[in-house]
PDB file of all heavy atoms in Angstrom:
ATOM      1  N   TYR A 205       0.831  -1.193  -0.009  1.00 97.00           N
ATOM      2  CA  TYR A 205       0.006  -0.004   0.008  1.00 97.00           C
ATOM      3  C   TYR A 205       0.867   1.262  -0.016  1.00 97.00           C
ATOM      4  O   TYR A 205       0.633   2.205  -0.764  1.00 97.00           O
ATOM      5  CB  TYR A 205      -0.928  -0.013   1.213  1.00 97.00           C
ATOM      6  CG  TYR A 205      -1.424   1.369   1.587  1.00 97.00           C
ATOM      7  CD1 TYR A 205      -2.349   2.022   0.819  1.00 97.00           C
ATOM      8  CD2 TYR A 205      -0.958   1.995   2.718  1.00 97.00           C
ATOM      9  CE1 TYR A 205      -2.820   3.256   1.141  1.00 97.00           C
ATOM     10  CE2 TYR A 205      -1.404   3.229   3.092  1.00 97.00           C
ATOM     11  CZ  TYR A 205      -2.317   3.897   2.316  1.00 97.00           C
ATOM     12  OH  TYR A 205      -2.759   5.156   2.640  1.00 97.00           O
ATOM     13  N   ARG A 206       1.880   1.269   0.849  1.00 97.00           N
ATOM     14  CA  ARG A 206       2.752   2.465   0.916  1.00 97.00           C
ATOM     15  C   ARG A 206       3.458   2.702  -0.433  1.00 97.00           C
ATOM     16  O   ARG A 206       3.527   3.860  -0.890  1.00 97.00           O
ATOM     17  CB  ARG A 206       3.754   2.317   2.052  1.00 97.00           C
ATOM     18  CG  ARG A 206       3.140   2.338   3.434  1.00 97.00           C
ATOM     19  CD  ARG A 206       4.197   2.457   4.527  1.00 97.00           C
ATOM     20  NE  ARG A 206       5.104   1.354   4.554  1.00 97.00           N
ATOM     21  CZ  ARG A 206       4.992   0.256   5.347  1.00 97.00           C
ATOM     22  NH1 ARG A 206       3.859   0.119   6.103  1.00 97.00           N
ATOM     23  NH2 ARG A 206       5.858  -0.662   5.327  1.00 97.00           N
ATOM     24  N   ASP A 207       3.931   1.623  -1.029  1.00 97.00           N
ATOM     25  CA  ASP A 207       4.615   1.733  -2.304  1.00 97.00           C
ATOM     26  C   ASP A 207       3.667   2.194  -3.394  1.00 97.00           C
ATOM     27  O   ASP A 207       4.056   3.021  -4.231  1.00 97.00           O
ATOM     28  CB  ASP A 207       5.253   0.419  -2.712  1.00 97.00           C
ATOM     29  CG  ASP A 207       6.418  -0.009  -1.802  1.00 97.00           C
ATOM     30  OD1 ASP A 207       6.917   0.928  -1.042  1.00 97.00           O
ATOM     31  OD2 ASP A 207       6.795  -1.158  -1.816  1.00 97.00           O
ATOM     32  N   THR A 208       2.471   1.653  -3.452  1.00 98.00           N
ATOM     33  CA  THR A 208       1.472   2.065  -4.436  1.00 98.00           C
ATOM     34  C   THR A 208       1.097   3.511  -4.255  1.00 98.00           C
ATOM     35  O   THR A 208       0.969   4.272  -5.236  1.00 98.00           O
ATOM     36  CB  THR A 208       0.237   1.177  -4.361  1.00 98.00           C
ATOM     37  OG1 THR A 208       0.620  -0.167  -4.466  1.00 98.00           O
ATOM     38  CG2 THR A 208      -0.738   1.468  -5.507  1.00 98.00           C
ATOM     39  N   ARG A 209       0.970   3.928  -3.006  1.00 97.00           N
ATOM     40  CA  ARG A 209       0.581   5.343  -2.746  1.00 97.00           C
ATOM     41  C   ARG A 209       1.720   6.252  -3.174  1.00 97.00           C
ATOM     42  O   ARG A 209       1.444   7.319  -3.761  1.00 97.00           O
ATOM     43  CB  ARG A 209       0.328   5.497  -1.270  1.00 97.00           C
ATOM     44  CG  ARG A 209      -0.497   6.739  -0.954  1.00 97.00           C
ATOM     45  CD  ARG A 209      -0.864   6.800   0.536  1.00 97.00           C
ATOM     46  NE  ARG A 209      -2.017   7.692   0.674  1.00 97.00           N
ATOM     47  CZ  ARG A 209      -1.914   9.001   0.669  1.00 97.00           C
ATOM     48  NH1 ARG A 209      -0.740   9.593   0.466  1.00 97.00           N
ATOM     49  NH2 ARG A 209      -2.982   9.760   0.802  1.00 97.00           N
ATOM     50  N   SER A 210       2.932   5.866  -2.897  1.00 96.00           N
ATOM     51  CA  SER A 210       4.057   6.698  -3.276  1.00 96.00           C
ATOM     52  C   SER A 210       4.104   6.826  -4.837  1.00 96.00           C
ATOM     53  O   SER A 210       4.455   7.893  -5.359  1.00 96.00           O
ATOM     54  CB  SER A 210       5.382   6.090  -2.775  1.00 96.00           C
ATOM     55  OG  SER A 210       6.475   6.806  -3.219  1.00 96.00           O
ATOM     56  N   HIS A 211       3.806   5.734  -5.504  1.00 96.00           N
ATOM     57  CA  HIS A 211       3.811   5.750  -6.997  1.00 96.00           C
ATOM     58  C   HIS A 211       2.814   6.731  -7.504  1.00 96.00           C
ATOM     59  O   HIS A 211       3.100   7.560  -8.384  1.00 96.00           O
ATOM     60  CB  HIS A 211       3.521   4.350  -7.527  1.00 96.00           C
ATOM     61  CG  HIS A 211       3.488   4.287  -8.996  1.00 96.00           C
ATOM     62  ND1 HIS A 211       4.634   4.309  -9.783  1.00 96.00           N
ATOM     63  CD2 HIS A 211       2.444   4.186  -9.880  1.00 96.00           C
ATOM     64  CE1 HIS A 211       4.253   4.224 -11.065  1.00 96.00           C
ATOM     65  NE2 HIS A 211       2.915   4.143 -11.148  1.00 96.00           N
ATOM     66  N   ILE A 212       1.579   6.705  -6.964  1.00 96.00           N
ATOM     67  CA  ILE A 212       0.564   7.630  -7.422  1.00 96.00           C
ATOM     68  C   ILE A 212       0.944   9.080  -7.003  1.00 96.00           C
ATOM     69  O   ILE A 212       0.621  10.020  -7.792  1.00 96.00           O
ATOM     70  CB  ILE A 212      -0.811   7.228  -6.826  1.00 96.00           C
ATOM     71  CG1 ILE A 212      -1.217   5.857  -7.391  1.00 96.00           C
ATOM     72  CG2 ILE A 212      -1.867   8.248  -7.158  1.00 96.00           C
ATOM     73  CD1 ILE A 212      -2.467   5.301  -6.746  1.00 96.00           C
ATOM     74  N   GLU A 213       1.558   9.273  -5.918  1.00 95.00           N
ATOM     75  CA  GLU A 213       1.920  10.623  -5.489  1.00 95.00           C
ATOM     76  C   GLU A 213       2.969  11.186  -6.405  1.00 95.00           C
ATOM     77  O   GLU A 213       3.033  12.452  -6.593  1.00 95.00           O
ATOM     78  CB  GLU A 213       2.477  10.565  -4.048  1.00 95.00           C
ATOM     79  CG  GLU A 213       1.442  10.500  -2.972  1.00 95.00           C
ATOM     80  CD  GLU A 213       2.087  10.600  -1.572  1.00 95.00           C
ATOM     81  OE1 GLU A 213       3.049   9.899  -1.328  1.00 95.00           O
ATOM     82  OE2 GLU A 213       1.570  11.405  -0.748  1.00 95.00           O
ATOM     83  N   ASN A 214       3.789  10.373  -7.061  1.00 94.00           N
ATOM     84  CA  ASN A 214       4.871  10.898  -7.853  1.00 94.00           C
ATOM     85  C   ASN A 214       4.688  10.684  -9.365  1.00 94.00           C
ATOM     86  O   ASN A 214       5.517  11.176 -10.160  1.00 94.00           O
ATOM     87  CB  ASN A 214       6.192  10.207  -7.413  1.00 94.00           C
ATOM     88  CG  ASN A 214       6.582  10.559  -6.011  1.00 94.00           C
ATOM     89  OD1 ASN A 214       7.007  11.721  -5.762  1.00 94.00           O
ATOM     90  ND2 ASN A 214       6.439   9.649  -5.081  1.00 94.00           N
ATOM     91  N   ILE A 215       3.670  10.003  -9.773  1.00 95.00           N
ATOM     92  CA  ILE A 215       3.462   9.728 -11.209  1.00 95.00           C
ATOM     93  C   ILE A 215       3.149  11.052 -11.915  1.00 95.00           C
ATOM     94  O   ILE A 215       2.425  11.907 -11.375  1.00 95.00           O
ATOM     95  CB  ILE A 215       2.383   8.672 -11.439  1.00 95.00           C
ATOM     96  CG1 ILE A 215       2.428   8.142 -12.837  1.00 95.00           C
ATOM     97  CG2 ILE A 215       1.016   9.235 -11.132  1.00 95.00           C
ATOM     98  CD1 ILE A 215       1.525   6.924 -13.096  1.00 95.00           C
ATOM     99  N   ARG A 216       3.582  11.204 -13.170  1.00 93.00           N
ATOM    100  CA  ARG A 216       3.409  12.414 -13.892  1.00 93.00           C
ATOM    101  C   ARG A 216       1.990  12.564 -14.524  1.00 93.00           C
ATOM    102  O   ARG A 216       1.453  13.643 -14.602  1.00 93.00           O
ATOM    103  CB  ARG A 216       4.450  12.579 -14.996  1.00 93.00           C
ATOM    104  CG  ARG A 216       5.878  12.660 -14.475  1.00 93.00           C
ATOM    105  CD  ARG A 216       6.838  12.918 -15.603  1.00 93.00           C
ATOM    106  NE  ARG A 216       6.545  14.150 -16.374  1.00 93.00           N
ATOM    107  CZ  ARG A 216       7.241  14.545 -17.437  1.00 93.00           C
ATOM    108  NH1 ARG A 216       8.256  13.814 -17.909  1.00 93.00           N
ATOM    109  NH2 ARG A 216       6.968  15.681 -18.029  1.00 93.00           N
ATOM    110  N   ASN A 217       1.406  11.392 -14.893  1.00 95.00           N
ATOM    111  CA  ASN A 217       0.150  11.487 -15.555  1.00 95.00           C
ATOM    112  C   ASN A 217      -0.641  10.158 -15.432  1.00 95.00           C
ATOM    113  O   ASN A 217      -0.031   9.080 -15.474  1.00 95.00           O
ATOM    114  CB  ASN A 217       0.327  11.826 -17.035  1.00 95.00           C
ATOM    115  CG  ASN A 217      -1.024  12.136 -17.754  1.00 95.00           C
ATOM    116  OD1 ASN A 217      -1.952  12.584 -17.073  1.00 95.00           O
ATOM    117  ND2 ASN A 217      -1.098  11.855 -19.056  1.00 95.00           N
ATOM    118  N   ILE A 218      -1.924  10.264 -15.218  1.00 96.00           N
ATOM    119  CA  ILE A 218      -2.835   9.103 -15.310  1.00 96.00           C
ATOM    120  C   ILE A 218      -3.920   9.491 -16.351  1.00 96.00           C
ATOM    121  O   ILE A 218      -4.634  10.460 -16.105  1.00 96.00           O
ATOM    122  CB  ILE A 218      -3.495   8.819 -13.960  1.00 96.00           C
ATOM    123  CG1 ILE A 218      -2.392   8.397 -12.948  1.00 96.00           C
ATOM    124  CG2 ILE A 218      -4.513   7.710 -14.105  1.00 96.00           C
ATOM    125  CD1 ILE A 218      -2.968   8.080 -11.543  1.00 96.00           C
ATOM    126  N   ARG A 219      -3.949   8.782 -17.417  1.00 96.00           N
ATOM    127  CA  ARG A 219      -4.766   9.180 -18.553  1.00 96.00           C
ATOM    128  C   ARG A 219      -6.213   8.807 -18.415  1.00 96.00           C
ATOM    129  O   ARG A 219      -7.078   9.406 -19.052  1.00 96.00           O
ATOM    130  CB  ARG A 219      -4.219   8.565 -19.842  1.00 96.00           C
ATOM    131  CG  ARG A 219      -2.805   9.005 -20.211  1.00 96.00           C
ATOM    132  CD  ARG A 219      -2.179   8.085 -21.258  1.00 96.00           C
ATOM    133  NE  ARG A 219      -2.047   6.681 -20.752  1.00 96.00           N
ATOM    134  CZ  ARG A 219      -1.571   5.680 -21.435  1.00 96.00           C
ATOM    135  NH1 ARG A 219      -1.270   5.851 -22.692  1.00 96.00           N
ATOM    136  NH2 ARG A 219      -1.439   4.499 -20.869  1.00 96.00           N
ATOM    137  N   SER A 220      -6.529   7.850 -17.538  1.00 97.00           N
ATOM    138  CA  SER A 220      -7.929   7.410 -17.422  1.00 97.00           C
ATOM    139  C   SER A 220      -8.062   6.685 -16.123  1.00 97.00           C
ATOM    140  O   SER A 220      -7.112   6.258 -15.435  1.00 97.00           O
ATOM    141  CB  SER A 220      -8.338   6.465 -18.535  1.00 97.00           C
ATOM    142  OG  SER A 220      -7.660   5.241 -18.487  1.00 97.00           O
ATOM    143  N   ASP A 221      -9.328   6.481 -15.689  1.00 97.00           N
ATOM    144  CA  ASP A 221      -9.582   5.683 -14.488  1.00 97.00           C
ATOM    145  C   ASP A 221      -9.151   4.220 -14.666  1.00 97.00           C
ATOM    146  O   ASP A 221      -8.766   3.580 -13.680  1.00 97.00           O
ATOM    147  CB  ASP A 221     -11.073   5.738 -14.151  1.00 97.00           C
ATOM    148  CG  ASP A 221     -11.535   7.083 -13.611  1.00 97.00           C
ATOM    149  OD1 ASP A 221     -10.610   7.912 -13.354  1.00 97.00           O
ATOM    150  OD2 ASP A 221     -12.755   7.339 -13.437  1.00 97.00           O
ATOM    151  N   ARG A 222      -9.147   3.762 -15.877  1.00 96.00           N
ATOM    152  CA  ARG A 222      -8.652   2.394 -16.150  1.00 96.00           C
ATOM    153  C   ARG A 222      -7.127   2.335 -15.898  1.00 96.00           C
ATOM    154  O   ARG A 222      -6.665   1.273 -15.426  1.00 96.00           O
ATOM    155  CB  ARG A 222      -8.992   1.980 -17.574  1.00 96.00           C
ATOM    156  CG  ARG A 222     -10.474   1.751 -17.826  1.00 96.00           C
ATOM    157  CD  ARG A 222     -10.724   1.197 -19.206  1.00 96.00           C
ATOM    158  NE  ARG A 222     -12.188   0.988 -19.398  1.00 96.00           N
ATOM    159  CZ  ARG A 222     -12.786  -0.124 -19.072  1.00 96.00           C
ATOM    160  NH1 ARG A 222     -12.133  -1.132 -18.538  1.00 96.00           N
ATOM    161  NH2 ARG A 222     -14.135  -0.282 -19.287  1.00 96.00           N
ATOM    162  N   ASP A 223      -6.430   3.388 -16.191  1.00 97.00           N
ATOM    163  CA  ASP A 223      -5.023   3.431 -15.875  1.00 97.00           C
ATOM    164  C   ASP A 223      -4.820   3.291 -14.346  1.00 97.00           C
ATOM    165  O   ASP A 223      -3.940   2.542 -13.922  1.00 97.00           O
ATOM    166  CB  ASP A 223      -4.362   4.730 -16.352  1.00 97.00           C
ATOM    167  CG  ASP A 223      -4.049   4.691 -17.816  1.00 97.00           C
ATOM    168  OD1 ASP A 223      -4.251   3.651 -18.453  1.00 97.00           O
ATOM    169  OD2 ASP A 223      -3.538   5.761 -18.367  1.00 97.00           O
ATOM    170  N   PHE A 224      -5.601   4.029 -13.591  1.00 98.00           N
ATOM    171  CA  PHE A 224      -5.526   3.956 -12.149  1.00 98.00           C
ATOM    172  C   PHE A 224      -5.833   2.528 -11.684  1.00 98.00           C
ATOM    173  O   PHE A 224      -5.151   1.949 -10.830  1.00 98.00           O
ATOM    174  CB  PHE A 224      -6.470   4.951 -11.515  1.00 98.00           C
ATOM    175  CG  PHE A 224      -6.727   4.688 -10.068  1.00 98.00           C
ATOM    176  CD1 PHE A 224      -5.821   5.090  -9.104  1.00 98.00           C
ATOM    177  CD2 PHE A 224      -7.888   4.076  -9.630  1.00 98.00           C
ATOM    178  CE1 PHE A 224      -5.984   4.845  -7.763  1.00 98.00           C
ATOM    179  CE2 PHE A 224      -8.133   3.884  -8.280  1.00 98.00           C
ATOM    180  CZ  PHE A 224      -7.174   4.241  -7.367  1.00 98.00           C
ATOM    181  N   ALA A 225      -6.910   1.958 -12.236  1.00 97.00           N
ATOM    182  CA  ALA A 225      -7.274   0.593 -11.878  1.00 97.00           C
ATOM    183  C   ALA A 225      -6.132  -0.400 -12.178  1.00 97.00           C
ATOM    184  O   ALA A 225      -5.856  -1.335 -11.368  1.00 97.00           O
ATOM    185  CB  ALA A 225      -8.540   0.155 -12.644  1.00 97.00           C
ATOM    186  N   ASN A 226      -5.443  -0.204 -13.306  1.00 97.00           N
ATOM    187  CA  ASN A 226      -4.346  -1.112 -13.616  1.00 97.00           C
ATOM    188  C   ASN A 226      -3.169  -0.911 -12.655  1.00 97.00           C
ATOM    189  O   ASN A 226      -2.517  -1.904 -12.264  1.00 97.00           O
ATOM    190  CB  ASN A 226      -3.839  -0.823 -15.085  1.00 97.00           C
ATOM    191  CG  ASN A 226      -4.825  -1.327 -16.099  1.00 97.00           C
ATOM    192  OD1 ASN A 226      -5.490  -2.289 -15.866  1.00 97.00           O
ATOM    193  ND2 ASN A 226      -4.795  -0.693 -17.298  1.00 97.00           N
ATOM    194  N   ILE A 227      -2.937   0.319 -12.189  1.00 97.00           N
ATOM    195  CA  ILE A 227      -1.873   0.560 -11.210  1.00 97.00           C
ATOM    196  C   ILE A 227      -2.186  -0.189  -9.915  1.00 97.00           C
ATOM    197  O   ILE A 227      -1.373  -0.916  -9.363  1.00 97.00           O
ATOM    198  CB  ILE A 227      -1.677   2.059 -10.950  1.00 97.00           C
ATOM    199  CG1 ILE A 227      -1.139   2.729 -12.197  1.00 97.00           C
ATOM    200  CG2 ILE A 227      -0.786   2.277  -9.795  1.00 97.00           C
ATOM    201  CD1 ILE A 227      -1.142   4.255 -12.129  1.00 97.00           C
ATOM    202  N   VAL A 228      -3.396  -0.024  -9.448  1.00 98.00           N
ATOM    203  CA  VAL A 228      -3.795  -0.612  -8.172  1.00 98.00           C
ATOM    204  C   VAL A 228      -3.818  -2.180  -8.309  1.00 98.00           C
ATOM    205  O   VAL A 228      -3.327  -2.830  -7.414  1.00 98.00           O
ATOM    206  CB  VAL A 228      -5.195  -0.133  -7.742  1.00 98.00           C
ATOM    207  CG1 VAL A 228      -5.677  -0.907  -6.529  1.00 98.00           C
ATOM    208  CG2 VAL A 228      -5.134   1.390  -7.463  1.00 98.00           C
ATOM    209  N   ASN A 229      -4.309  -2.655  -9.405  1.00 98.00           N
ATOM    210  CA  ASN A 229      -4.380  -4.100  -9.606  1.00 98.00           C
ATOM    211  C   ASN A 229      -2.950  -4.731  -9.644  1.00 98.00           C
ATOM    212  O   ASN A 229      -2.696  -5.700  -9.020  1.00 98.00           O
ATOM    213  CB  ASN A 229      -5.162  -4.399 -10.849  1.00 98.00           C
ATOM    214  CG  ASN A 229      -5.616  -5.853 -10.901  1.00 98.00           C
ATOM    215  OD1 ASN A 229      -6.027  -6.419  -9.933  1.00 98.00           O
ATOM    216  ND2 ASN A 229      -5.601  -6.463 -12.099  1.00 98.00           N
ATOM    217  N   THR A 230      -2.099  -4.063 -10.392  1.00 97.00           N
ATOM    218  CA  THR A 230      -0.762  -4.633 -10.625  1.00 97.00           C
ATOM    219  C   THR A 230       0.101  -4.541  -9.352  1.00 97.00           C
ATOM    220  O   THR A 230       0.792  -5.486  -8.972  1.00 97.00           O
ATOM    221  CB  THR A 230      -0.051  -3.915 -11.802  1.00 97.00           C
ATOM    222  OG1 THR A 230      -0.873  -4.052 -12.965  1.00 97.00           O
ATOM    223  CG2 THR A 230       1.321  -4.511 -12.045  1.00 97.00           C
ATOM    224  N   GLN A 231       0.051  -3.390  -8.702  1.00 97.00           N
ATOM    225  CA  GLN A 231       0.970  -3.140  -7.613  1.00 97.00           C
ATOM    226  C   GLN A 231       0.442  -3.572  -6.234  1.00 97.00           C
ATOM    227  O   GLN A 231       1.268  -3.809  -5.335  1.00 97.00           O
ATOM    228  CB  GLN A 231       1.371  -1.660  -7.622  1.00 97.00           C
ATOM    229  CG  GLN A 231       2.089  -1.197  -8.841  1.00 97.00           C
ATOM    230  CD  GLN A 231       2.768   0.171  -8.672  1.00 97.00           C
ATOM    231  OE1 GLN A 231       3.047   0.595  -7.591  1.00 97.00           O
ATOM    232  NE2 GLN A 231       3.042   0.802  -9.796  1.00 97.00           N
ATOM    233  N   PHE A 232      -0.884  -3.603  -6.070  1.00 98.00           N
ATOM    234  CA  PHE A 232      -1.417  -3.796  -4.744  1.00 98.00           C
ATOM    235  C   PHE A 232      -2.239  -5.147  -4.648  1.00 98.00           C
ATOM    236  O   PHE A 232      -2.189  -5.806  -3.626  1.00 98.00           O
ATOM    237  CB  PHE A 232      -2.282  -2.652  -4.301  1.00 98.00           C
ATOM    238  CG  PHE A 232      -2.831  -2.759  -2.925  1.00 98.00           C
ATOM    239  CD1 PHE A 232      -2.007  -2.777  -1.822  1.00 98.00           C
ATOM    240  CD2 PHE A 232      -4.162  -2.852  -2.704  1.00 98.00           C
ATOM    241  CE1 PHE A 232      -2.496  -2.881  -0.516  1.00 98.00           C
ATOM    242  CE2 PHE A 232      -4.661  -2.940  -1.399  1.00 98.00           C
ATOM    243  CZ  PHE A 232      -3.834  -2.943  -0.319  1.00 98.00           C
ATOM    244  N   ILE A 233      -2.968  -5.476  -5.681  1.00 98.00           N
ATOM    245  CA  ILE A 233      -3.883  -6.601  -5.604  1.00 98.00           C
ATOM    246  C   ILE A 233      -3.261  -7.889  -6.069  1.00 98.00           C
ATOM    247  O   ILE A 233      -3.308  -8.964  -5.370  1.00 98.00           O
ATOM    248  CB  ILE A 233      -5.182  -6.300  -6.361  1.00 98.00           C
ATOM    249  CG1 ILE A 233      -5.913  -5.107  -5.708  1.00 98.00           C
ATOM    250  CG2 ILE A 233      -6.099  -7.515  -6.414  1.00 98.00           C
ATOM    251  CD1 ILE A 233      -7.171  -4.683  -6.460  1.00 98.00           C
ATOM    252  N   LEU A 234      -2.690  -7.902  -7.262  1.00 97.00           N
ATOM    253  CA  LEU A 234      -2.192  -9.137  -7.830  1.00 97.00           C
ATOM    254  C   LEU A 234      -1.073  -9.826  -6.997  1.00 97.00           C
ATOM    255  O   LEU A 234      -1.037 -11.059  -7.010  1.00 97.00           O
ATOM    256  CB  LEU A 234      -1.642  -8.880  -9.282  1.00 97.00           C
ATOM    257  CG  LEU A 234      -2.751  -8.612 -10.328  1.00 97.00           C
ATOM    258  CD1 LEU A 234      -2.134  -8.424 -11.671  1.00 97.00           C
ATOM    259  CD2 LEU A 234      -3.759  -9.776 -10.376  1.00 97.00           C
ATOM    260  N   PRO A 235      -0.243  -9.095  -6.322  1.00 97.00           N
ATOM    261  CA  PRO A 235       0.818  -9.752  -5.497  1.00 97.00           C
ATOM    262  C   PRO A 235       0.204 -10.688  -4.427  1.00 97.00           C
ATOM    263  O   PRO A 235       0.898 -11.618  -3.971  1.00 97.00           O
ATOM    264  CB  PRO A 235       1.594  -8.600  -4.857  1.00 97.00           C
ATOM    265  CG  PRO A 235       1.472  -7.494  -5.852  1.00 97.00           C
ATOM    266  CD  PRO A 235       0.066  -7.613  -6.374  1.00 97.00           C
ATOM    267  N   ALA A 236      -1.022 -10.467  -4.030  1.00 97.00           N
ATOM    268  CA  ALA A 236      -1.681 -11.330  -2.998  1.00 97.00           C
ATOM    269  C   ALA A 236      -2.152 -12.664  -3.643  1.00 97.00           C
ATOM    270  O   ALA A 236      -2.591 -13.580  -2.904  1.00 97.00           O
ATOM    271  CB  ALA A 236      -2.832 -10.631  -2.349  1.00 97.00           C
ATOM    272  N   ARG A 237      -2.117 -12.783  -4.973  1.00 95.00           N
ATOM    273  CA  ARG A 237      -2.402 -14.039  -5.696  1.00 95.00           C
ATOM    274  C   ARG A 237      -3.779 -14.566  -5.353  1.00 95.00           C
ATOM    275  O   ARG A 237      -3.936 -15.732  -5.276  1.00 95.00           O
ATOM    276  CB  ARG A 237      -1.346 -15.074  -5.451  1.00 95.00           C
ATOM    277  CG  ARG A 237       0.059 -14.685  -5.858  1.00 95.00           C
ATOM    278  CD  ARG A 237       1.018 -15.802  -5.599  1.00 95.00           C
ATOM    279  NE  ARG A 237       2.307 -15.302  -5.044  1.00 95.00           N
ATOM    280  CZ  ARG A 237       3.260 -16.110  -4.551  1.00 95.00           C
ATOM    281  NH1 ARG A 237       3.073 -17.400  -4.474  1.00 95.00           N
ATOM    282  NH2 ARG A 237       4.335 -15.561  -4.053  1.00 95.00           N
ATOM    283  N   GLY A 238      -4.710 -13.702  -5.177  1.00 94.00           N
ATOM    284  CA  GLY A 238      -6.092 -14.156  -4.975  1.00 94.00           C
ATOM    285  C   GLY A 238      -6.403 -14.704  -3.614  1.00 94.00           C
ATOM    286  O   GLY A 238      -7.511 -15.219  -3.413  1.00 94.00           O
ATOM    287  N   ALA A 239      -5.469 -14.608  -2.659  1.00 95.00           N
ATOM    288  CA  ALA A 239      -5.743 -15.188  -1.339  1.00 95.00           C
ATOM    289  C   ALA A 239      -6.946 -14.436  -0.761  1.00 95.00           C
ATOM    290  O   ALA A 239      -7.106 -13.238  -0.844  1.00 95.00           O
ATOM    291  CB  ALA A 239      -4.493 -14.911  -0.423  1.00 95.00           C
ATOM    292  N   GLY A 240      -7.794 -15.199  -0.095  1.00 96.00           N
ATOM    293  CA  GLY A 240      -9.028 -14.645   0.485  1.00 96.00           C
ATOM    294  C   GLY A 240      -9.947 -14.045  -0.570  1.00 96.00           C
ATOM    295  O   GLY A 240     -10.684 -13.119  -0.281  1.00 96.00           O
ATOM    296  N   HIS A 241      -9.917 -14.621  -1.761  1.00 95.00           N
ATOM    297  CA  HIS A 241     -10.764 -14.134  -2.882  1.00 95.00           C
ATOM    298  C   HIS A 241     -10.550 -12.659  -3.166  1.00 95.00           C
ATOM    299  O   HIS A 241     -11.424 -11.969  -3.658  1.00 95.00           O
ATOM    300  CB  HIS A 241     -12.248 -14.412  -2.583  1.00 95.00           C
ATOM    301  CG  HIS A 241     -12.659 -15.825  -2.803  1.00 95.00           C
ATOM    302  ND1 HIS A 241     -12.395 -16.791  -1.829  1.00 95.00           N
ATOM    303  CD2 HIS A 241     -13.383 -16.470  -3.798  1.00 95.00           C
ATOM    304  CE1 HIS A 241     -12.895 -17.946  -2.276  1.00 95.00           C
ATOM    305  NE2 HIS A 241     -13.438 -17.763  -3.437  1.00 95.00           N
ATOM    306  N   PHE A 242      -9.381 -12.140  -2.913  1.00 97.00           N
ATOM    307  CA  PHE A 242      -9.051 -10.731  -3.126  1.00 97.00           C
ATOM    308  C   PHE A 242      -8.665 -10.502  -4.533  1.00 97.00           C
ATOM    309  O   PHE A 242      -7.620 -10.907  -4.988  1.00 97.00           O
ATOM    310  CB  PHE A 242      -7.901 -10.317  -2.162  1.00 97.00           C
ATOM    311  CG  PHE A 242      -7.518  -8.889  -2.249  1.00 97.00           C
ATOM    312  CD1 PHE A 242      -8.427  -7.865  -2.357  1.00 97.00           C
ATOM    313  CD2 PHE A 242      -6.167  -8.507  -2.207  1.00 97.00           C
ATOM    314  CE1 PHE A 242      -8.053  -6.567  -2.449  1.00 97.00           C
ATOM    315  CE2 PHE A 242      -5.783  -7.212  -2.296  1.00 97.00           C
ATOM    316  CZ  PHE A 242      -6.722  -6.228  -2.415  1.00 97.00           C
TER     317      PHE A 242
END
């Protein structure tokens, strides 16, 4: 979470909400590998 937040704080541009969703999914959600149906 801290790393994902830092990334969003420092990123230069997010072109769409889908870009944001991809950032959160890639950096925060997918590393949990679906544990707890997450």
Side-chain angles (χ1 to χ4, degrees):
Y205 159 71
R206 294 193 296 269
D207 291 345
T208 305
R209 198 173 201 284
S210 177
H211 179 76
I212 295 173
E213 283 185 312
N214 295 287
I215 195 170
R216 295 184 61 183
N217 188 29
I218 296 179
R219 295 166 298 177
S220 67
D221 288 350
R222 290 184 179 274
D223 279 356
F224 166 77
N226 286 333
I227 291 171
V228 173
N229 197 37
T230 301
Q231 298 195 20
F232 183 64
I233 296 177
L234 289 180
R237 299 182 222 169
H241 283 77
F242 179 42

